[in-house]
Structures are given as structure tokens and as C-alpha cells.
Amino acid sequence: MEENQKIQLNVRVSKKTSDMLDEIVQYYQDKTRVGRIYKGDVLTDIIEKSYELMQKQKRIRY
């Protein structure tokens, strides 16, 4: 599969979760100087960091 291939995820989240994501996106926007930050970029970053942490914890366990 091509590395940059993208798929669309349609998910339902609570209003509170959506508000938290908006706040996180705004934080990323304020702290980075790369231009416009999108929700998808923030979610990708969070998922990649969580995945790395999970892999590290799995290596420690086994």
C-alpha cells in the first residue's frame, strides 16, 4: 500500500470529545509555525505517538 494513501474515517464522538479535539487543534496551531493545522493532522499525530508508546510498552512486557 502506498504510504501517502489516505482513507476517510467517519466516526461519531460526543460533543465534549469534539470540543476537546478543537482545543487540541488550537493548541497545535498556536505552538507550531508550519501554517494551518487540520484535525486530521492532529489525530494522525496523536495516533502515531500512542502507537509508538504501545509498541514500547509491549517490548518491555515481553
Side-chain angles (χ1 to χ4, degrees):
M1 186 186 293
E2 188 177 321
E3 181 68 26
N4 292 330
Q5 183 178 12
K6 294 186 177 192
I7 63 167
Q8 181 172 335
L9 298 176
N10 295 312
V11 298
R12 291 188 181 272
V13 297
S14 69
K15 173 75 168 112
K16 182 179 176 184
T17 300
S18 178
D19 291 343
M20 287 189 284
L21 178 57
D22 289 341
E23 190 174 338
I24 293 167
V25 170
Q26 187 60 49
Y27 176 81
Y28 271 63
Q29 186 70 51
D30 293 343
K31 299 300 175 192
T32 60
R33 305 286 186 238
V34 294
R36 178 102 168 96
I37 301 293
Y38 296 95
K39 288 181 182 180
D41 298 327
V42 172
L43 288 172
T44 298
D45 190 51
I46 291 168
I47 291 168
E48 288 174 351
K49 287 177 180 175
S50 296
Y51 186 82
E52 289 172 10
L53 180 60
M54 179 189 72
Q55 293 299 327
K56 184 186 288 185
Q57 289 175 347
K58 286 168 85 176
R59 284 191 300 273
I60 291 170
R61 264 198 186 140
Y62 303 109

